[in-house]
């Protein structure tokens, strides 16, 4: 009431006048079920009161909401009192999640592979703890067949004007001399006793070249074998009993030719079949039919894809060559070039992973024996696959045919090395990072004196693979024309 109403009521009561009755306010019932009871949220916050009167339009009033305070966190659903539909994951989101999981797993695997958790042991070297990845790279799957090599006893005579402290070839191989890596390749006969194929393959890594020295199997090495023939192909089986068989041949090669041997590869004639079949054959030009035996014939053609059996017949065939074993050595050059061309085509047409897969299969089946690790052989394969044909040269040890008499009547046909011509050839092609070899530093024994040579046809037989592209077969004792 205001002041006027109070004064009027006071006067009426004083005079005894009857107080007029006030009309009743018309009220409307509120549906209790629909009534929203707000929650009390704070000590100093007054609750809201529904003061709707009559039929007042309820739609004009905002719906009651729960207040959480300025700094109080609440979900959007609670804040606005309504359901918000969940967002569906897109293909991009799923891909991102999968990629994240895969990368996480890959990171864990990489970490495990690179953790030094395995002990690596190698003869002549201290034990060290290495990662799984390093252990696999250094793994020598066939080392138990022939064994490790001893350190060379010859003086290396490194040319320090070239190989100084800053010199490197960039390939990081376990080399005796930086810049070069030399592999002795031996091919056995069926009995695995005689090494009828002997190649010294020197990779001039710093110079980007490959030099191959063919050693005829009949070369006389009288100080290195107990076999009465004195031939170098018997050194493996009949050499120094104090060392391993492979070391016998390595010592002979190093002492006579002055070439430090870093590694070796040996294989048998029947393993050549498997390797050639694995890579799909070797294309070659066959000038005339080759009859290895009555039922073992290689047809003439250009090209002929030699299978494993035919490849073995080709590299071993010698009976029809006018020069006998020397003819076979010369014919093997053609096979070398064809095999090199096959490797290059594998890299070009099928890719390096296919080449590595072939190497793994050869290792797994033990078609070769070597002291090289998988990593070392892969590095050499990579190096060889980028060489052009002009960068690969093959030479044969100079010499001539001779007779070695064991008594006044009995003798063996041998190949007598021309020592001076051999040393000159070695100094020119096989000692790029060594000082020249002297005549007295070689253990080569000549059975024909220099002034009594019958001929010098084999003193200079060097040829690049480019020059061998159109090479034909050696002269035959039988006329095929």
């Amino acid at each position: 009431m205001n002041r006027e109403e109070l004064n009027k009521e006071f006067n009426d009561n004083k005079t005894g006048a009857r107080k007029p009755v006030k009309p009743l306010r018309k009220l409307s019932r509120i549906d209790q079920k629909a009534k929203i009871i707000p929650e009390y949220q704070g000590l100093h916050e007054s609750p809201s009161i529904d003061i709707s009167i009559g039929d007042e339009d309820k739609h004009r009033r905002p719906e009651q909401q729960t207040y959480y305070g300025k700094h109080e966190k609440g979900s959007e659903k609670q804040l606005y009192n309504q359901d918000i539909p969940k967002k569906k994951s897109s293909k991009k989101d799923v891909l991102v999640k999968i990629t994240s999981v895969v990368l996480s797993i890959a990171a864990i695997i990489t970490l495990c592979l690179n953790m030094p958790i395995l002990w690596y042991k190698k003869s002549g070297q201290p034990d060290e703890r290495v990662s799984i990845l390093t252990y696999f790279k250094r793994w020598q799957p066939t080392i138990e067949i022939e064994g490790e090599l001893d350190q060379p006893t010859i003086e290396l005579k490194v040319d320090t004007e070239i190989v100084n402290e800053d010199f490197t070839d960039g390939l990081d191989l376990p080399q005796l001399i930086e810049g070069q890596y030399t592999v002795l390749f031996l091919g056995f006969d069926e009995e695995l006793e005689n090494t009828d194929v002997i190649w010294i393959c020197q990779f001039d890594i710093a110079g980007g070249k490959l030099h191959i020295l063919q050693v005829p199997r009949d070369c006389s090495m009288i100080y290195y074998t107990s076999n009465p023939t004195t031939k170098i192909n018997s050194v493996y089986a009949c050499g120094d009993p104090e060392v391993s068989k492979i070391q016998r041949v390595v010592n002979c090669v190093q002492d006579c030719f002055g070439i430090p041997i870093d590694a070796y590869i040996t294989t048998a004639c029947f393993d050549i079949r498997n390797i050639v079949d694995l890579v799909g054959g070797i294309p070659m030009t066959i000038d005339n039919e080759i009859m290895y035996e009555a039922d073992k014939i290689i047809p003439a053609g250009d090209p002929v894809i030699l299978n494993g059996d035919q490849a073995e017949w080709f590299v071993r065939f010698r009976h029809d060559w006018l020069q006998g074993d020397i003819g076979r050595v010369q014919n093997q050059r053609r096979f070398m070039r064809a095999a090199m061309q096959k490797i290059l085509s594998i890299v070009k047409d099928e890719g390096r992973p296919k080449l590595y897969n072939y190497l793994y299969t050869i290792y797994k089946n033990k078609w070769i024996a070597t002291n090289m690790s998988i990593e070392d052989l892969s590095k050499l394969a990579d190096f060889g696959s980028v060489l052009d044909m002009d960068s690969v040269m093959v030479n044969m040890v100079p010499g001539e045919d001779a007779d070695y008499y064991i008594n006044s009547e009995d003798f063996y046909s041998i190949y007598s090395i021309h020592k001076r011509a051999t040393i000159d050839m070695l100094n020119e092609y096989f000692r790029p990072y060594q000082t020249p070899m002297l005549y007295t530093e070689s253990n080569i024994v000549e059975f024909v004196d220099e002034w009594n040579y019958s001929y010098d046809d084999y003193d200079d037989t060097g040829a690049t693979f480019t020059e061998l592209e159109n090479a034909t077969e050696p002269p035959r004792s039988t006329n095929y024309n």
Side-chain angles (χ1 to χ4, degrees), residues 212-214 333 336 392-396 461-465 468:
I212 303 172
L213 178 61
Q214 294 178 287
R333 295 183 174 193
M336 281 186 205
V392 184
M393 172 170 276
V394 57
N395 284 273
M396 186 182 73
T461 60
T464 66
F465 275 10
L468 291 172

Side-chain angles (χ1 to χ4, degrees), residues 285-309:
T285 298
I286 306 299
D287 302 298
N288 295 290
E289 178 183 273
I290 295 177
M291 183 181 292
Y292 185 73
E293 292 179 2
D295 58 342
K296 298 179 179 179
I297 299 174
I298 304 174
D302 182 17
V304 174
I305 310 298
L306 300 183
N307 60 31
D309 289 330

Side-chain angles (χ1 to χ4, degrees), residues 352-414:
R352 292 184 188 276
K354 189 65 176 180
L355 178 62
Y356 299 150
N357 183 59
Y358 287 146
L359 292 176
Y360 173 76
T361 302
I362 292 170
Y363 261 124
K364 183 180 67 174
N365 291 284
K366 296 185 177 181
W367 292 336
I368 63 171
T370 180
N371 63 332
M372 282 191 287
S373 67
I374 292 178
E375 182 181 32
D376 295 343
L377 192 56
S378 298
K379 288 179 179 179
L380 286 184
D382 285 342
F383 176 79
S385 67
V386 298
L387 293 175
D388 56 52
M389 293 300 177
D390 280 330
S391 300
V392 184
M393 172 170 276
V394 57
N395 284 273
M396 186 182 73
V397 173
E400 63 179 79
D401 296 318
D403 294 331
Y404 169 62
Y405 282 85
I406 56 177
N407 53 48
S408 59
E409 297 181 356
D410 301 321
F411 67 90
Y412 291 100
S413 296
I414 62 170

Side-chain angles (χ1 to χ4, degrees), residues 236-463:
Y236 179 86
C238 304
D240 184 358
E242 299 298 324
V243 297
S244 66
K245 290 184 175 181
I246 189 64
Q247 191 67 51
R248 297 170 184 173
V249 185
V250 169
N251 289 347
C252 175
V253 168
Q254 292 182 147
D255 292 348
C256 294
F257 302 117
I259 303 175
I261 301 299
D262 296 285
Y264 64 83
I265 295 177
T266 66
T267 188
C269 54
F270 42 80
D271 290 325
I272 293 177
R273 307 173 201 159
N274 298 323
I275 295 173
V276 171
D277 286 336
L278 173 68
V279 300
I282 305 293
M284 288 200 63
T285 298
I286 306 299
D287 302 298
N288 295 290
E289 178 183 273
I290 295 177
M291 183 181 292
Y292 185 73
E293 292 179 2
D295 58 342
K296 298 179 179 179
I297 299 174
I298 304 174
D302 182 17
V304 174
I305 310 298
L306 300 183
N307 60 31
D309 289 330
Q310 292 171 328
E312 180 196 355
W313 306 337
F314 185 88
V315 298
R316 300 189 68 191
F317 181 75
R318 71 184 181 93
H319 295 294
D320 277 350
W321 303 138
L322 182 63
Q323 300 159 321
D325 187 58
I326 299 303
R328 171 168 61 179
V329 170
Q330 292 177 344
N331 210 36
Q332 288 172 353
R333 295 183 174 193
R334 301 170 62 207
F335 183 82
M336 281 186 205
R337 186 193 182 282
M340 180 79 172
Q341 191 67 52
K342 180 67 178 183
I343 293 175
L344 296 177
S345 68
I346 290 173
V347 174
K348 179 181 178 181
D349 301 334
E350 304 180 65
R352 292 184 188 276
K354 189 65 176 180
L355 178 62
Y356 299 150
N357 183 59
Y358 287 146
L359 292 176
Y360 173 76
T361 302
I362 292 170
Y363 261 124
K364 183 180 67 174
N365 291 284
K366 296 185 177 181
W367 292 336
I368 63 171
T370 180
N371 63 332
M372 282 191 287
S373 67
I374 292 178
E375 182 181 32
D376 295 343
L377 192 56
S378 298
K379 288 179 179 179
L380 286 184
D382 285 342
F383 176 79
S385 67
V386 298
L387 293 175
D388 56 52
M389 293 300 177
D390 280 330
S391 300
V392 184
M393 172 170 276
V394 57
N395 284 273
M396 186 182 73
V397 173
E400 63 179 79
D401 296 318
D403 294 331
Y404 169 62
Y405 282 85
I406 56 177
N407 53 48
S408 59
E409 297 181 356
D410 301 321
F411 67 90
Y412 291 100
S413 296
I414 62 170
Y415 185 78
S416 178
I417 299 176
H418 291 176
K419 186 173 181 178
R420 192 173 303 278
T422 298
I423 292 175
D424 290 342
M425 180 264 298
L426 293 171
N427 286 333
E428 183 175 359
Y429 297 111
F430 291 90
R431 297 174 70 87
Y433 308 105
Q434 297 173 273
T435 56
M437 186 179 188
L438 303 179
Y439 187 90
T440 55
E441 293 174 336
S442 170
N443 286 354
I444 292 174
V445 175
E446 291 187 282
F447 286 82
V448 179
D449 295 331
E450 187 173 354
W451 52 87
N452 288 323
Y453 289 165
S454 299
Y455 52 84
D456 58 2
D457 297 350
Y458 306 143
D459 285 6
D460 184 11
T461 60

